[in-house]
Each structure stands twice: as C-alpha cells, then as structure tokens.
Amino acid sequence: MEMFGRSRRQLTLTYSLVMCLFLFVLIFFVHKTMDWAMFSEQAAELSDAADSIAETRAYYVHRPNAAADENWFYRNTNDRLFFYVFNEEKKLVGFVRASFKIESFIMDVITGEKLETGATEVFAQPNEFGRTTTIMMTSKEIRLNGITQTIYVGKDVTALYSGLQKATYALVFLGVIALILATIIGHFMAGRAIIPLREAYDKQKQFAADASHELRTPLAVVMASADLLMADPSIKEPFLREVIGDVKSEVKKMSKLVSDLLLVARSDNNALKMTLKKIDLGELLKQNVRMMKPLAEKKNIELSGENFRKVSMIADEQKIKQLILILADNAIKYTPEGGKVIVRLEDVDSSSATFSVRDSGIGIDEKDKEKIFERFYRVDKARSREAGGNGLGLSIATEILRLHEGKIFVDSEPGVGTKFTVKLKTNLKKKSVS
C-alpha cells in the first residue's frame, strides 16, 4: 500500500541523512587529524632545523678560522629544505637556496612580512601550470656579537599536501559508496521492519471488512424489529415508544458506521468501483442543500447555497453526492445553534470546477489541519461524540477525491469557522475505474 511505501521511503531517507551526516563528520575529522599530524611533524622538523642553523652560525662566529660547513644539520632531511638568513638591514647574509621555481614565492613571503617571528605557517600559491605550490616556513631571531639576525627556514611540502588532498578525495569517494550501500541496506531493512506492521494492518483491514459484512444483517433485523414495534398500536406508553425511538436512532448511527467501515475496507483493497458519467455539479450542490435543510433547521442553523449554475463534468454521481454530503454534514454538526453554513460554487473553467463549504463553527487549530483527514481522528473527541461523528467522514472524502484526481483545501480559524474548498477535474475520462 502507498501508506507503507511512503513510510518505508521516509525511514530510508532518515537513515540516509543520518549516515550522510555521520560520514561527513567522520571524513572531516579524519582530514583534520591527518592535516594536524602532518603539520606537527613538519613544524617540528623546521624548528629543529632552525635551532641547528642558529647553533651553527654561532659556532662559526666564535671560531672564525674553522672550516665553514653550514650544511651538516641537513643530514636527516631532504633536498626540499631551505633557509635564508637576513641581518637587521634585510641583507641576505647566509642561505641554502630553494628550487629556483619557488624562490620568488619564498621571497614574497619573507619580504612581505607574511610570517611572524617564531611562528610556523603554511603558504600556498598556484604556479604557471595551474598547480598549487605549498611551502611551510618558520622563522627565528638570533643575536651574534650584538647583531640581530633572522633565520627563515622552510620546506616544499607540495607533495605532502597533494597526497593529503588525494587521500581526502579517496575518503569522500569511499564515503559516497558507503552511503549508497547504506541506503540500499537501509531500504531493505526498512522493508523488513514494516512487514509485521503490514501483516497486522492487513489483518485489521480484513477484520473491519468481515465485521462490517457480519454486522449489516443483525442491524437490519434490529431496525426492522424497531419499526414493527413502533407501528404496533398496542404499545401506547410514551416511555416505551421513546425507548424504541432511541433504539432506532442508535441503530441508524451503527448502520452508518458499518457502511463507512465497509467503504474504507473496500478502498484499502482497491475494490472501490467508479462508473463515470456526465453530471451537473451545480444541480448536485442544490439538491444537497435542499436535503440538508431540515437537519440545519433542527439546530437553528441557517443553511444557504450561492452561485449555483449548470456545470457539466464527468464523475461518479453517487460518490460526488456523498462527498458534498460529508462536508455539509460536518459543517452542520460542528456549528453551534444560530450559526451559518454556506455551500458555494466557486470558480469554473474548461478543466476544473471548485466548490466550497463554509461554516461559523468551532474551527480547527493549525496543528490539526493535516490530521483531520486521518481515519478516526477527531479534533475534540467529546464534542465529536455529542455530534455523532466517528472520524471517518473526511477520510472517505479524501478517498473519493483520490479516485476523481481532485484536491481539498482547508482554511480555518478556531472560534471563527472553517472553509473546505474542493477542486475537481471536469474532463475525467468517461469509463469505469477502480
């Protein structure tokens, strides 16, 4: 059934969204962790290199006759490491040069004072081939014989960050694959979880259908017996006749409930048949108003029709009558004495016709507007029982509209009233449909 299919899709969607969020968070933290680990290791290497360069320069300043070799600290690193030493006048006094391809980039960082003293930062810049060059640099100040020098140590980490980017892309790809698999598995598991619910629902449907069939006969017998008793001239006592009248009234309510349950059961089993023919919607609305007037007058409610005119359309006459009756009956039930109910034919064009039923009743809260079309749902259960409602009317109306490819809209304000607007197709194909 569509209800279970919709529930299964909602469960699958919820599960997929949860998995998507989980994978996003996981990939994000894995990426940040790898980035942090790589940055920490490289920063420690640069810091050690800067300390070694400072010690080496201090050593040779105090021993000017020693053979100068500032590259001894370079033993445990690779050829991507470089350093530049500047004095206070920004004059280069020592260096191990970087590749000529990135040296201008390095000088831009140094001369542009983009690196704070003592800090370790990563800088990226696209090269002439459109690829991104990434360097990591740190700086350190030293004083030699009263002169301050600044050491800039860096490393070309393009390959490392490119590897990190590729690893992240691989994680995203694997995450998408995992999400697809999780969605498929989730859809399968949701279907398995719904099986017991579907079986219980099917049993409930069958019970409702069987019970409805079984109850119709005894109710008809009780109604016939009540009619016979009411017609018996020997029963003259007012109290007994009142009891018989109450019995007839309750049997009528039960008969209506059984008919509604049978209709609902048939709709669940796709057993509802429609015989479409040409009808006059305006005439059906007029008949309904005429038929419901005695009930409205009994409650001192003003029932009126507006804008009725001939509107030809293709539909199932009996079901459209039932639809109008449900809406008008609800309006009268939930409108207090002295109120008004208006049935109005609204817009009509070449493809659709619209009518509305407006009342000045108790109204419907915003939170209840969607629920009122559910079976057995009643906004005010106590008042609904007093009014004789069973919570199936609007559900049946929705089923009728589904068969006619129509729509229903609700506009309501608590304490002011409710307006139901129905839009029906006028050119539904003329054939029997189920």
Side-chain angles (χ1 to χ4, degrees):
M1 288 185 60
E2 178 59 26
M3 175 178 63
F4 290 104
R6 184 170 60 250
S7 298
R8 185 179 186 182
R9 289 192 293 271
Q10 289 174 347
L11 285 172
T12 303
L13 178 61
T14 302
Y15 179 73
S16 299
L17 290 175
V18 171
M19 287 298 299
C20 184
L21 178 61
F22 171 75
L23 289 172
F24 173 80
V25 172
L26 179 64
I27 292 171
F28 175 79
F29 278 104
V30 169
H31 173 80
K32 287 297 182 182
T33 301
M34 292 191 299
D35 188 27
W36 170 80
M38 187 173 67
F39 181 87
S40 299
E41 288 296 320
Q42 298 302 314
E45 182 182 356
L46 292 181
S47 180
D48 291 343
D51 292 340
S52 298
I53 295 170
E55 292 173 4
T56 303
R57 295 194 65 83
Y59 177 83
Y60 288 114
V61 166
H62 292 98
R63 296 171 178 79
N65 296 323
D69 182 8
E70 295 183 344
N71 293 324
W72 67 271
F73 71 92
Y74 203 49
R75 294 168 187 166
N76 295 323
T77 61
N78 57 38
D79 60 357
R80 294 182 183 276
L81 194 66
F82 55 84
F83 75 88
Y84 297 85
V85 184
F86 290 83
N87 60 17
E88 293 177 330
E89 287 78 27
K90 302 296 182 180
K91 182 178 179 181
L92 186 63
V93 294
F95 61 88
V96 170
R97 296 182 63 179
S99 168
F100 73 93
K101 294 180 180 179
I102 63 172
E103 192 167 54
S104 60
F105 176 29
I106 296 167
M107 289 304 161
D108 287 340
V109 174
I110 294 173
T111 58
E113 297 183 350
K114 298 177 181 179
L115 180 65
E116 295 183 4
T117 303
T120 301
E121 295 184 34
V122 176
F123 302 92
Q125 176 180 280
N127 57 28
E128 64 271 19
F129 301 106
R131 299 175 182 174
T132 301
T133 299
T134 307
I135 59 173
M136 181 182 289
M137 292 184 64
T138 188
S139 64
K140 182 182 177 81
E141 284 190 353
I142 59 173
R143 290 186 64 82
L144 300 173
N145 296 334
I147 299 174
T148 301
Q149 295 184 351
T150 304
I151 302 171
Y152 294 93
V153 183
K155 186 177 183 180
D156 184 356
V157 291
T158 302
L160 292 175
Y161 275 86
S162 176
L164 175 63
Q165 187 180 47
K166 290 177 181 178
T168 303
Y169 288 155
L171 283 174
V172 171
F173 176 75
L174 292 175
V176 171
I177 297 298
L179 181 61
I180 293 173
L181 291 175
T183 301
I184 294 172
I185 294 172
H187 187 69
F188 174 75
M189 295 303 294
R192 292 291 298 273
I194 286 174
I195 288 175
L197 298 177
R198 184 191 291 270
E199 291 176 350
Y201 185 74
D202 288 339
K203 290 178 181 178
Q204 184 185 30
K205 286 193 306 178
Q206 191 61 46
F207 172 77
D210 294 343
S212 300
H213 280 292
E214 295 297 327
L215 287 172
R216 295 181 78 179
T217 299
L219 285 173
V221 171
V222 173
M223 179 62 76
S225 300
D227 287 336
L228 286 173
L229 290 173
M230 187 66 75
D232 189 344
S234 64
I235 301 177
K236 298 180 180 180
E237 188 176 343
F239 175 73
L240 290 177
R241 299 189 70 82
E242 186 177 338
V243 170
I244 295 170
D246 292 340
V247 170
K248 288 185 64 176
S249 177
E250 291 302 317
V251 170
K252 286 181 179 178
K253 289 180 183 179
M254 284 294 295
S255 298
K256 184 178 184 306
L257 175 59
V258 167
S259 297
D260 290 346
L261 285 172
L262 186 58
L263 180 62
V264 168
R266 285 175 176 171
S267 69
D268 285 337
N269 293 318
N270 294 321
L272 281 180
K273 300 290 182 179
M274 278 208 318
T275 302
L276 303 182
K277 64 179 182 179
K278 191 172 183 180
I279 64 171
D280 183 353
L281 179 60
E283 183 60 30
L284 291 184
L285 291 169
K286 188 185 298 183
Q287 288 177 12
N288 182 271
V289 170
R290 187 167 59 247
M291 183 173 59
M292 297 296 290
K293 266 191 180 296
L295 179 62
E297 290 173 355
K298 187 177 179 181
K299 287 188 65 177
N300 192 27
I301 293 173
E302 181 184 339
L303 174 63
S304 61
E306 294 181 357
N307 201 30
F308 293 157
R309 59 189 185 278
K310 183 177 178 62
V311 178
S312 296
M313 60 183 294
I314 303 297
D316 186 305
E317 183 175 6
Q318 294 303 317
K319 286 184 173 54
I320 295 299
K321 281 183 178 180
Q322 186 177 11
L323 170 65
I324 301 169
L325 178 65
I326 288 170
L327 297 178
D329 185 51
N330 272 1
I332 294 171
K333 280 178 182 176
Y334 298 109
T335 298
E337 291 189 10
K340 291 184 179 181
V341 174
I342 301 173
V343 180
R344 176 181 173 82
L345 182 60
E346 304 281 358
D347 300 330
V348 178
D349 56 38
S350 59
S351 62
S352 65
T354 305
F355 71 89
S356 65
V357 178
R358 181 194 295 271
D359 64 56
S360 58
I362 60 176
I364 305 169
D365 287 332
E366 190 67 31
K367 61 183 177 63
D368 293 316
K369 284 185 179 180
E370 293 296 327
K371 298 179 181 178
I372 59 175
F373 297 102
E374 298 176 4
R375 293 173 187 174
F376 300 106
Y377 184 83
R378 291 176 291 188
V379 177
D380 188 334
K381 294 179 174 56
R383 297 183 70 171
S384 296
R385 281 192 292 268
E386 293 173 5
N390 55 38
L392 286 173
L394 290 178
S395 175
I396 294 171
T398 304
E399 181 64 21
I400 293 171
L401 285 168
R402 184 188 69 80
L403 292 171
H404 285 84
E405 300 178 23
K407 296 179 181 179
I408 187 168
F409 307 94
V410 186
D411 184 18
S412 183
E413 185 177 345
V416 176
T418 302
K419 179 182 179 182
F420 285 93
T421 303
V422 174
K423 186 173 184 179
L424 293 165
K425 283 187 174 182
T426 56
N427 56 354
L428 212 61
K429 291 183 180 180
K430 187 176 180 181
K431 64 178 182 180
S432 295
V433 298
S434 59

